[in-house]
């Protein structure tokens, strides 16, 4: 993954030391993360700790650290995480399971966050996330 400081400086186009959601969108693309408008909104809400509508470098650095941790997961880790989310053993992660898993991890799990995450992960739009879709999100799917 690219150096967070380099990416931040490159995409902070007005050089004000803050990243708007539009600047964040282009920065994430450089990091090979395509974020829907809903997901961008939720990332901003989750990481903008001072609630000023922008990400300062320290906040952006946390975003990139979390993305790096997700990408560093091995294939076995990915499968184990998937199984832990798939509480009913159906082979899919449904919205309620995602909500519960995020709550257990202490991550925001309001309806907008869940919807944004499902939109990002559920590529075939069947309302649930398969192991293949999950693996693509964490970088282990083709």
């Amino acid at each position: 993954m690219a150096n967070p400081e380099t990416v931040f400086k490159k995409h902070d186009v007005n050089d004000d030391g803050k990243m708007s959601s539009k600047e964040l969108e282009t920065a994430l693309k450089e990091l090979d993360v395509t974020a829907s408008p809903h997901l961008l909104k939720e990332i901003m809400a989750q990481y903008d700790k001072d609630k000023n509508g922008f990400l300062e470098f320290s906040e952006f650095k946390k975003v990139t650290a979390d993305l790096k941790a997700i990408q560093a997961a091995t294939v076995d880790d990915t499968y184990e995480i998937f199984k832990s989310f798939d509480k009913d053993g159906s082979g899919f992660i449904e919205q309620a399971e995602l909500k519960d898993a995020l709550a257990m991890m202490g991550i925001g799990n309001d309806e907008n966050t869940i919807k944004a995450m499902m939109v990002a992960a559920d590529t075939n739009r069947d309302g649930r996330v398969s192991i293949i879709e999950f693996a693509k999100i964490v970088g282990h799917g083709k």
Side-chain angles (χ1 to χ4, degrees):
M1 180 174 282
N3 179 316
E5 187 172 7
T6 303
V7 173
F8 186 87
K9 286 180 179 180
K10 178 179 176 182
H11 294 282
D12 177 17
V13 293
N14 59 358
D15 201 29
D16 63 357
K18 300 181 288 190
M19 190 171 277
S20 68
S21 61
K22 187 66 177 166
E23 291 168 326
L24 175 62
E25 181 180 19
T26 61
L28 289 175
K29 283 181 184 175
E30 182 171 328
L31 299 171
D32 292 325
V33 176
T34 302
S36 69
H38 291 293
L39 186 55
L40 279 171
K41 181 180 174 187
E42 295 307 320
I43 289 171
M44 292 296 286
Q46 182 74 27
Y47 291 92
D48 179 17
K49 296 301 180 190
D50 59 7
K51 304 300 180 202
N52 66 354
F54 298 92
L55 295 182
E56 284 75 23
F57 176 66
S58 62
E59 295 164 333
F60 178 74
K61 191 173 172 183
K62 177 70 174 138
V63 172
T64 59
D66 288 352
L67 289 172
K68 186 176 182 179
I70 289 167
Q71 291 174 342
T74 67
V75 173
D76 288 340
D77 292 338
T78 301
Y79 183 65
E80 291 304 315
I81 293 167
F82 179 86
K83 286 191 332 187
S84 74
F85 282 26
D86 179 21
K87 294 292 186 194
D88 66 3
S90 67
F92 298 94
I93 300 171
E94 284 89 10
Q95 288 187 15
E97 291 170 323
L98 179 59
K99 184 177 179 85
D100 291 346
L102 294 177
M104 288 179 60
M105 295 185 306
I107 298 173
N109 69 345
D110 60 90
E111 291 306 314
N112 288 332
T113 300
I114 300 301
K115 184 176 179 180
M117 293 178 104
M118 290 298 289
V119 166
D122 180 19
T123 56
N124 70 358
R125 304 293 177 242
D126 66 354
R128 55 195 186 165
V129 178
S130 69
I131 184 64
I132 301 300
E133 290 168 324
F134 187 77
K136 286 179 182 176
I137 288 293
V138 298
H140 293 295
K142 301 289 184 219

